[in-house]
Amino acid sequence: MHSSRVAVLCAAMAVACADAEPEPLPALGEPLAGLTTGERGRFLLGRALFERLATADEGLGPLYNGERCSDCHDQPVTGGSGIQRLRVLKATRFEDGRCDLLHAVGGDNIQRRATDLLKAHGMGPEEVPESANATALMTGPPLLGLGLLEAVPDAVLEEWADPDDSDGDGISGRLPRLADGRAARFGRKGDAATVEDFVDTALRFELGFTTHRHPDEEPMNGTPIPPEADPMPDPEIDAPTMGHITDFVRFLAPPAPERELSGAARDTVEQGRALFGQIGCTSCHRQELRTGESATTALAGRPLRPYSDLLLHDLGEELADVCGPDAAPGELRTAPLWGLRHRARLLHDGRATDIGGAVAAHGGEAAAARDAFQALPEEARLAVIRFLRSL
């Protein structure tokens, strides 16, 4: 590991040594309650790395989008969502029912920045390949509570999946699979199976680092990068560094719902919660999940209220854009709704600025629930919105 990175780790370790009792309800962006002293230390080390500005001298690039992990995950706290600084440009080709992630011409993630050294070699940044037939700008998803979602057993999600709509309710969610057969519950299109997969992909494609899992530089639109354009030895992110960043994400506490509601406000939220279920939204945005066994006690056997089934659903033409490893253009993973009140923009591409606009864009399997919401009397619609804004 490089000396600058070691310095950051040592400084963070000093903070980690001051052990304290975790709060029953951690503040936004803080670690899960119940972590051991060592786990809290790893969380703090990971957060320091997550927020650290990287440079080309440390291996940033030569093709990249952001200069630190928090560039895409800083709203309203580190580990949250991202819309202010950048959105990720994706490009794919969907033809004859098959998704081509365009690996032969650089992959589906278009890296729109290049280091000065790469430019000096007459290369970069990337462009959308001519073979692509769809593009999309994706916002950085919130990472809060991701480790808890990882700890939900696949069997639970498979039980909810109904890919053939055998019960005839119009909802046919399915659990996507990667080429190696693992269930992919992370990513807007279901493209990562674990938190470490998610972190590895972000380090490689957003910051341009090589990792111990993928030690070769990504090509520019399929053209190999000259070795002299990136002289840092590979891998630029070693296994311990990857482990600390992964543990920061894995140990982030989920966002707590609005507290201390009383009187009319509480009644309105409860009315909205009931209506949310009655009009069919909880067919996909399931209220409760429970984690299974975990080597981390703080992640094991925990009840959750993420308002998601973590499955892919066809949401219709209006939201259709790029495809995924096991997802058609119109299919999107059900977005968890916890922490919704902290998000300035909604939907996978940030197009909606309010809940009503986000609901209106839902089609496909969600069309019936969308229509039921829009048919509610105004006061009832506002109650549903007030409930969602309490999450």
Side-chain angles (χ1 to χ4, degrees):
M1 188 182 299
H2 307 301
S3 59
S4 58
R5 202 170 292 147
V6 171
V8 173
L9 293 178
C10 292
M13 182 64 81
V15 177
C17 290
D19 188 35
E21 288 294 322
E23 300 176 14
L25 290 174
L28 205 65
E30 292 303 306
L32 289 162
L35 294 176
T36 66
T37 300
E39 289 163 348
R40 285 175 60 83
R42 292 181 64 81
F43 174 90
L44 292 170
L45 291 172
R47 183 164 63 186
L49 291 166
F50 194 91
E51 294 177 330
R52 188 173 187 276
L53 185 69
T55 68
D57 292 338
E58 297 171 318
L60 177 76
L63 293 165
Y64 65 103
N65 287 319
E67 296 169 299
R68 50 189 156 200
C69 301
S70 56
D71 279 352
C72 287
H73 305 282
D74 65 348
Q75 299 296 314
V77 295
T78 298
S81 58
I83 187 64
Q84 300 299 323
R85 296 187 186 182
L86 60 89
R87 288 188 289 174
V88 175
L89 177 61
K90 297 274 192 176
T92 62
R93 182 174 185 83
F94 189 73
E95 189 173 33
D96 298 328
R98 297 174 61 87
C99 183
D100 182 357
L101 297 179
L102 307 178
H103 292 305
V105 285
D108 64 320
N109 189 309
I110 309 303
Q111 295 163 305
R112 295 189 284 173
R113 300 175 69 181
T115 60
D116 291 340
L117 185 55
L118 183 63
K119 291 177 182 177
H121 284 77
M123 299 180 69
E126 286 192 306
E127 298 179 352
V128 174
E130 292 183 3
S131 53
N133 60 13
T135 61
L137 286 169
M138 300 276 190
T139 63
L143 307 180
L144 307 173
L146 221 61
L148 290 167
L149 297 181
E150 180 184 44
V152 175
D154 285 356
V156 172
L157 308 182
E158 288 284 16
E159 184 179 350
W160 289 347
D162 185 15
D164 300 319
D165 191 19
S166 57
D167 59 8
D169 66 353
I171 306 299
S172 54
R174 62 187 186 88
L175 187 57
R177 298 277 174 180
L178 300 179
D180 60 11
R182 291 182 299 155
R185 66 186 63 194
F186 298 119
R188 266 56 184 270
K189 293 285 183 174
D191 47 27
T194 66
V195 171
E196 185 174 298
D197 287 348
F198 183 90
V199 170
D200 180 80
T201 298
L203 288 171
R204 290 162 52 214
F205 295 111
E206 307 309 337
L207 280 79
F209 283 113
T210 54
T211 70
H212 72 288
R213 292 175 53 177
H214 295 90
D216 297 323
E217 289 290 348
E218 296 295 326
M220 189 205 81
N221 285 131
T223 301
I225 299 295
E228 57 271 20
D230 184 33
M232 290 300 300
D234 297 315
E236 294 151 344
I237 299 293
D238 59 20
T241 303
M242 170 80 79
H244 285 111
I245 298 173
T246 298
D247 279 346
F248 163 67
V249 177
R250 181 174 284 135
F251 296 155
L252 274 166
E258 192 174 355
R259 307 175 190 178
E260 300 178 0
L261 288 170
S262 61
R266 181 185 58 202
D267 294 343
T268 299
V269 166
E270 289 307 312
Q271 178 193 9
R273 187 194 311 275
L275 287 168
F276 188 75
Q278 290 169 17
I279 62 179
C281 298
T282 52
S283 295
C284 301
H285 291 284
R286 287 183 177 259
Q287 176 174 296
E288 294 189 359
L289 288 171
R290 178 174 286 273
T291 65
E293 297 179 356
S294 174
T296 301
T297 302
L299 294 171
R302 290 275 303 272
L304 315 175
R305 286 195 167 187
Y307 288 91
S308 172
D309 59 8
L310 303 180
L311 301 177
L312 284 177
H313 293 275
D314 185 350
L315 297 185
E317 288 299 318
E318 186 166 347
L319 290 178
D321 41 47
V322 294
C323 53
D326 189 23
E331 289 184 305
L332 288 159
R333 186 202 62 156
T334 305
L337 299 181
W338 55 8
L340 192 67
R341 74 182 188 277
H342 301 296
R343 302 179 208 169
R345 289 186 173 270
L346 306 174
L347 300 177
H348 65 291
D349 54 7
R351 73 175 70 180
T353 58
D354 58 75
I355 290 172
V359 173
H362 282 58
E365 296 175 45
R370 174 203 64 200
D371 295 345
F373 170 79
Q374 293 176 333
L376 290 172
E378 181 180 8
E379 184 176 346
R381 287 199 309 274
L382 292 176
V384 174
I385 291 172
R386 178 65 182 88
F387 155 65
L388 293 171
R389 281 297 179 194
S390 76
L391 297 178

PDB file of all heavy atoms in Angstrom, residues 73-96:
ATOM      1  N   HIS A  73     -21.711   9.940  -3.648  1.00  0.00           N
ATOM      2  CA  HIS A  73     -22.486   9.510  -2.483  1.00  0.00           C
ATOM      3  C   HIS A  73     -22.256  10.483  -1.332  1.00  0.00           C
ATOM      4  O   HIS A  73     -21.576  10.155  -0.351  1.00  0.00           O
ATOM      5  CB  HIS A  73     -22.083   8.091  -2.063  1.00  0.00           C
ATOM      6  CG  HIS A  73     -22.178   7.076  -3.162  1.00  0.00           C
ATOM      7  ND1 HIS A  73     -23.377   6.536  -3.562  1.00  0.00           N
ATOM      8  CD2 HIS A  73     -21.228   6.527  -3.957  1.00  0.00           C
ATOM      9  CE1 HIS A  73     -23.160   5.683  -4.553  1.00  0.00           C
ATOM     10  NE2 HIS A  73     -21.866   5.670  -4.816  1.00  0.00           N
ATOM     11  N   ASP A  74     -22.828  11.682  -1.449  1.00  0.00           N
ATOM     12  CA  ASP A  74     -22.568  12.692  -0.416  1.00  0.00           C
ATOM     13  C   ASP A  74     -23.796  13.497  -0.020  1.00  0.00           C
ATOM     14  O   ASP A  74     -23.688  14.500   0.666  1.00  0.00           O
ATOM     15  CB  ASP A  74     -21.472  13.647  -0.888  1.00  0.00           C
ATOM     16  CG  ASP A  74     -21.880  14.476  -2.103  1.00  0.00           C
ATOM     17  OD1 ASP A  74     -22.922  14.160  -2.728  1.00  0.00           O
ATOM     18  OD2 ASP A  74     -21.167  15.436  -2.442  1.00  0.00           O
ATOM     19  N   GLN A  75     -24.989  13.054  -0.414  1.00  0.00           N
ATOM     20  CA  GLN A  75     -26.191  13.823  -0.129  1.00  0.00           C
ATOM     21  C   GLN A  75     -27.158  13.044   0.757  1.00  0.00           C
ATOM     22  O   GLN A  75     -27.578  11.953   0.367  1.00  0.00           O
ATOM     23  CB  GLN A  75     -26.899  14.191  -1.443  1.00  0.00           C
ATOM     24  CG  GLN A  75     -26.089  15.049  -2.378  1.00  0.00           C
ATOM     25  CD  GLN A  75     -25.789  16.413  -1.805  1.00  0.00           C
ATOM     26  OE1 GLN A  75     -26.676  17.064  -1.263  1.00  0.00           O
ATOM     27  NE2 GLN A  75     -24.551  16.843  -1.920  1.00  0.00           N
ATOM     28  N   PRO A  76     -27.548  13.512   1.932  1.00  0.00           N
ATOM     29  CA  PRO A  76     -27.051  14.728   2.588  1.00  0.00           C
ATOM     30  C   PRO A  76     -25.807  14.489   3.434  1.00  0.00           C
ATOM     31  O   PRO A  76     -25.283  15.414   4.044  1.00  0.00           O
ATOM     32  CB  PRO A  76     -28.236  15.126   3.470  1.00  0.00           C
ATOM     33  CG  PRO A  76     -28.800  13.809   3.898  1.00  0.00           C
ATOM     34  CD  PRO A  76     -28.636  12.885   2.705  1.00  0.00           C
ATOM     35  N   VAL A  77     -25.343  13.221   3.485  1.00  0.00           N
ATOM     36  CA  VAL A  77     -24.139  12.871   4.242  1.00  0.00           C
ATOM     37  C   VAL A  77     -23.304  11.912   3.404  1.00  0.00           C
ATOM     38  O   VAL A  77     -23.785  11.339   2.419  1.00  0.00           O
ATOM     39  CB  VAL A  77     -24.485  12.202   5.593  1.00  0.00           C
ATOM     40  CG1 VAL A  77     -25.202  13.154   6.527  1.00  0.00           C
ATOM     41  CG2 VAL A  77     -25.308  10.930   5.361  1.00  0.00           C
ATOM     42  N   THR A  78     -22.058  11.702   3.817  1.00  0.00           N
ATOM     43  CA  THR A  78     -21.240  10.691   3.166  1.00  0.00           C
ATOM     44  C   THR A  78     -21.911   9.326   3.279  1.00  0.00           C
ATOM     45  O   THR A  78     -22.310   8.914   4.359  1.00  0.00           O
ATOM     46  CB  THR A  78     -19.850  10.640   3.814  1.00  0.00           C
ATOM     47  OG1 THR A  78     -19.198  11.905   3.639  1.00  0.00           O
ATOM     48  CG2 THR A  78     -18.992   9.551   3.183  1.00  0.00           C
ATOM     49  N   GLY A  79     -22.056   8.661   2.138  1.00  0.00           N
ATOM     50  CA  GLY A  79     -22.775   7.400   2.096  1.00  0.00           C
ATOM     51  C   GLY A  79     -24.205   7.541   1.605  1.00  0.00           C
ATOM     52  O   GLY A  79     -24.894   6.545   1.403  1.00  0.00           O
ATOM     53  N   GLY A  80     -24.637   8.775   1.387  1.00  0.00           N
ATOM     54  CA  GLY A  80     -25.981   9.005   0.864  1.00  0.00           C
ATOM     55  C   GLY A  80     -26.015   8.880  -0.644  1.00  0.00           C
ATOM     56  O   GLY A  80     -25.184   8.213  -1.257  1.00  0.00           O
ATOM     57  N   SER A  81     -26.992   9.535  -1.252  1.00  0.00           N
ATOM     58  CA  SER A  81     -27.111   9.484  -2.707  1.00  0.00           C
ATOM     59  C   SER A  81     -26.262  10.587  -3.326  1.00  0.00           C
ATOM     60  O   SER A  81     -25.560  11.317  -2.623  1.00  0.00           O
ATOM     61  CB  SER A  81     -28.581   9.635  -3.119  1.00  0.00           C
ATOM     62  OG  SER A  81     -29.110  10.845  -2.619  1.00  0.00           O
ATOM     63  N   GLY A  82     -26.330  10.715  -4.650  1.00  0.00           N
ATOM     64  CA  GLY A  82     -25.535  11.735  -5.319  1.00  0.00           C
ATOM     65  C   GLY A  82     -26.258  12.295  -6.516  1.00  0.00           C
ATOM     66  O   GLY A  82     -26.712  11.559  -7.375  1.00  0.00           O
ATOM     67  N   ILE A  83     -26.363  13.611  -6.593  1.00  0.00           N
ATOM     68  CA  ILE A  83     -26.951  14.266  -7.762  1.00  0.00           C
ATOM     69  C   ILE A  83     -26.239  15.574  -8.053  1.00  0.00           C
ATOM     70  O   ILE A  83     -26.231  16.068  -9.171  1.00  0.00           O
ATOM     71  CB  ILE A  83     -28.468  14.513  -7.561  1.00  0.00           C
ATOM     72  CG1 ILE A  83     -29.126  15.038  -8.841  1.00  0.00           C
ATOM     73  CG2 ILE A  83     -28.715  15.459  -6.403  1.00  0.00           C
ATOM     74  CD1 ILE A  83     -29.095  14.087  -9.985  1.00  0.00           C
ATOM     75  N   GLN A  84     -25.582  16.149  -7.048  1.00  0.00           N
ATOM     76  CA  GLN A  84     -25.035  17.489  -7.201  1.00  0.00           C
ATOM     77  C   GLN A  84     -23.803  17.525  -8.098  1.00  0.00           C
ATOM     78  O   GLN A  84     -23.639  18.425  -8.908  1.00  0.00           O
ATOM     79  CB  GLN A  84     -24.681  18.067  -5.816  1.00  0.00           C
ATOM     80  CG  GLN A  84     -25.881  18.178  -4.884  1.00  0.00           C
ATOM     81  CD  GLN A  84     -26.972  19.089  -5.412  1.00  0.00           C
ATOM     82  OE1 GLN A  84     -26.681  20.109  -6.021  1.00  0.00           O
ATOM     83  NE2 GLN A  84     -28.216  18.724  -5.194  1.00  0.00           N
ATOM     84  N   ARG A  85     -22.908  16.538  -7.968  1.00  0.00           N
ATOM     85  CA  ARG A  85     -21.617  16.639  -8.654  1.00  0.00           C
ATOM     86  C   ARG A  85     -21.626  15.980 -10.029  1.00  0.00           C
ATOM     87  O   ARG A  85     -21.120  16.545 -10.983  1.00  0.00           O
ATOM     88  CB  ARG A  85     -20.532  16.010  -7.784  1.00  0.00           C
ATOM     89  CG  ARG A  85     -20.331  16.746  -6.466  1.00  0.00           C
ATOM     90  CD  ARG A  85     -19.136  16.191  -5.727  1.00  0.00           C
ATOM     91  NE  ARG A  85     -19.030  16.793  -4.401  1.00  0.00           N
ATOM     92  CZ  ARG A  85     -18.061  16.533  -3.546  1.00  0.00           C
ATOM     93  NH1 ARG A  85     -17.110  15.685  -3.884  1.00  0.00           N
ATOM     94  NH2 ARG A  85     -18.029  17.095  -2.368  1.00  0.00           N
ATOM     95  N   LEU A  86     -22.145  14.763 -10.116  1.00  0.00           N
ATOM     96  CA  LEU A  86     -22.081  14.082 -11.411  1.00  0.00           C
ATOM     97  C   LEU A  86     -23.112  12.979 -11.469  1.00  0.00           C
ATOM     98  O   LEU A  86     -23.588  12.486 -10.452  1.00  0.00           O
ATOM     99  CB  LEU A  86     -20.680  13.512 -11.670  1.00  0.00           C
ATOM    100  CG  LEU A  86     -20.121  12.470 -10.694  1.00  0.00           C
ATOM    101  CD1 LEU A  86     -20.515  11.059 -11.107  1.00  0.00           C
ATOM    102  CD2 LEU A  86     -18.595  12.577 -10.649  1.00  0.00           C
ATOM    103  N   ARG A  87     -23.470  12.626 -12.679  1.00  0.00           N
ATOM    104  CA  ARG A  87     -24.276  11.444 -12.939  1.00  0.00           C
ATOM    105  C   ARG A  87     -23.483  10.551 -13.887  1.00  0.00           C
ATOM    106  O   ARG A  87     -22.742  11.029 -14.740  1.00  0.00           O
ATOM    107  CB  ARG A  87     -25.634  11.822 -13.547  1.00  0.00           C
ATOM    108  CG  ARG A  87     -26.566  12.479 -12.545  1.00  0.00           C
ATOM    109  CD  ARG A  87     -27.963  12.665 -13.119  1.00  0.00           C
ATOM    110  NE  ARG A  87     -28.006  13.695 -14.137  1.00  0.00           N
ATOM    111  CZ  ARG A  87     -29.090  13.967 -14.864  1.00  0.00           C
ATOM    112  NH1 ARG A  87     -30.198  13.265 -14.704  1.00  0.00           N
ATOM    113  NH2 ARG A  87     -29.053  14.930 -15.754  1.00  0.00           N
ATOM    114  N   VAL A  88     -23.639   9.260 -13.701  1.00  0.00           N
ATOM    115  CA  VAL A  88     -22.873   8.293 -14.473  1.00  0.00           C
ATOM    116  C   VAL A  88     -23.573   8.032 -15.803  1.00  0.00           C
ATOM    117  O   VAL A  88     -24.772   7.768 -15.841  1.00  0.00           O
ATOM    118  CB  VAL A  88     -22.724   6.983 -13.683  1.00  0.00           C
ATOM    119  CG1 VAL A  88     -22.044   5.922 -14.531  1.00  0.00           C
ATOM    120  CG2 VAL A  88     -21.936   7.232 -12.402  1.00  0.00           C
ATOM    121  N   LEU A  89     -22.809   8.100 -16.886  1.00  0.00           N
ATOM    122  CA  LEU A  89     -23.357   7.836 -18.211  1.00  0.00           C
ATOM    123  C   LEU A  89     -23.190   6.357 -18.540  1.00  0.00           C
ATOM    124  O   LEU A  89     -22.082   5.820 -18.507  1.00  0.00           O
ATOM    125  CB  LEU A  89     -22.641   8.687 -19.256  1.00  0.00           C
ATOM    126  CG  LEU A  89     -23.071   8.473 -20.719  1.00  0.00           C
ATOM    127  CD1 LEU A  89     -24.541   8.803 -20.911  1.00  0.00           C
ATOM    128  CD2 LEU A  89     -22.203   9.326 -21.647  1.00  0.00           C
ATOM    129  N   LYS A  90     -24.305   5.710 -18.849  1.00  0.00           N
ATOM    130  CA  LYS A  90     -24.313   4.302 -19.230  1.00  0.00           C
ATOM    131  C   LYS A  90     -24.735   4.183 -20.691  1.00  0.00           C
ATOM    132  O   LYS A  90     -25.538   4.981 -21.194  1.00  0.00           O
ATOM    133  CB  LYS A  90     -25.294   3.507 -18.366  1.00  0.00           C
ATOM    134  CG  LYS A  90     -24.951   3.475 -16.890  1.00  0.00           C
ATOM    135  CD  LYS A  90     -23.993   2.365 -16.586  1.00  0.00           C
ATOM    136  CE  LYS A  90     -23.874   2.128 -15.089  1.00  0.00           C
ATOM    137  NZ  LYS A  90     -23.008   0.965 -14.793  1.00  0.00           N
ATOM    138  N   ALA A  91     -24.211   3.154 -21.369  1.00  0.00           N
ATOM    139  CA  ALA A  91     -24.586   2.876 -22.754  1.00  0.00           C
ATOM    140  C   ALA A  91     -24.599   1.369 -22.957  1.00  0.00           C
ATOM    141  O   ALA A  91     -23.664   0.679 -22.547  1.00  0.00           O
ATOM    142  CB  ALA A  91     -23.607   3.531 -23.723  1.00  0.00           C
ATOM    143  N   THR A  92     -25.663   0.862 -23.570  1.00  0.00           N
ATOM    144  CA  THR A  92     -25.780  -0.575 -23.835  1.00  0.00           C
ATOM    145  C   THR A  92     -26.459  -0.789 -25.180  1.00  0.00           C
ATOM    146  O   THR A  92     -26.958   0.150 -25.807  1.00  0.00           O
ATOM    147  CB  THR A  92     -26.613  -1.289 -22.749  1.00  0.00           C
ATOM    148  OG1 THR A  92     -27.945  -0.749 -22.749  1.00  0.00           O
ATOM    149  CG2 THR A  92     -26.001  -1.134 -21.378  1.00  0.00           C
ATOM    150  N   ARG A  93     -26.487  -2.048 -25.589  1.00  0.00           N
ATOM    151  CA  ARG A  93     -27.241  -2.425 -26.780  1.00  0.00           C
ATOM    152  C   ARG A  93     -28.162  -3.584 -26.422  1.00  0.00           C
ATOM    153  O   ARG A  93     -27.714  -4.608 -25.890  1.00  0.00           O
ATOM    154  CB  ARG A  93     -26.300  -2.851 -27.913  1.00  0.00           C
ATOM    155  CG  ARG A  93     -27.057  -3.205 -29.208  1.00  0.00           C
ATOM    156  CD  ARG A  93     -26.122  -3.484 -30.368  1.00  0.00           C
ATOM    157  NE  ARG A  93     -26.899  -3.692 -31.598  1.00  0.00           N
ATOM    158  CZ  ARG A  93     -27.351  -2.690 -32.357  1.00  0.00           C
ATOM    159  NH1 ARG A  93     -27.104  -1.433 -32.019  1.00  0.00           N
ATOM    160  NH2 ARG A  93     -28.049  -2.950 -33.448  1.00  0.00           N
ATOM    161  N   PHE A  94     -29.452  -3.406 -26.684  1.00  0.00           N
ATOM    162  CA  PHE A  94     -30.439  -4.465 -26.432  1.00  0.00           C
ATOM    163  C   PHE A  94     -31.041  -4.864 -27.772  1.00  0.00           C
ATOM    164  O   PHE A  94     -31.607  -4.032 -28.481  1.00  0.00           O
ATOM    165  CB  PHE A  94     -31.528  -3.965 -25.489  1.00  0.00           C
ATOM    166  CG  PHE A  94     -32.453  -5.050 -25.003  1.00  0.00           C
ATOM    167  CD1 PHE A  94     -32.025  -5.971 -24.067  1.00  0.00           C
ATOM    168  CD2 PHE A  94     -33.750  -5.138 -25.490  1.00  0.00           C
ATOM    169  CE1 PHE A  94     -32.873  -6.971 -23.607  1.00  0.00           C
ATOM    170  CE2 PHE A  94     -34.601  -6.135 -25.043  1.00  0.00           C
ATOM    171  CZ  PHE A  94     -34.168  -7.055 -24.089  1.00  0.00           C
ATOM    172  N   GLU A  95     -30.872  -6.120 -28.109  1.00  0.00           N
ATOM    173  CA  GLU A  95     -31.332  -6.597 -29.414  1.00  0.00           C
ATOM    174  C   GLU A  95     -31.701  -8.073 -29.310  1.00  0.00           C
ATOM    175  O   GLU A  95     -30.977  -8.859 -28.693  1.00  0.00           O
ATOM    176  CB  GLU A  95     -30.216  -6.406 -30.452  1.00  0.00           C
ATOM    177  CG  GLU A  95     -30.624  -6.652 -31.885  1.00  0.00           C
ATOM    178  CD  GLU A  95     -29.519  -6.276 -32.858  1.00  0.00           C
ATOM    179  OE1 GLU A  95     -28.329  -6.426 -32.501  1.00  0.00           O
ATOM    180  OE2 GLU A  95     -29.834  -5.833 -33.968  1.00  0.00           O
ATOM    181  N   ASP A  96     -32.848  -8.425 -29.897  1.00  0.00           N
ATOM    182  CA  ASP A  96     -33.315  -9.814 -29.906  1.00  0.00           C
ATOM    183  C   ASP A  96     -33.392 -10.399 -28.496  1.00  0.00           C
ATOM    184  O   ASP A  96     -33.068 -11.566 -28.254  1.00  0.00           O
ATOM    185  CB  ASP A  96     -32.400 -10.683 -30.766  1.00  0.00           C
ATOM    186  CG  ASP A  96     -32.388 -10.247 -32.228  1.00  0.00           C
ATOM    187  OD1 ASP A  96     -33.435  -9.746 -32.698  1.00  0.00           O
ATOM    188  OD2 ASP A  96     -31.339 -10.384 -32.886  1.00  0.00           O
TER     189      ASP A  96
END
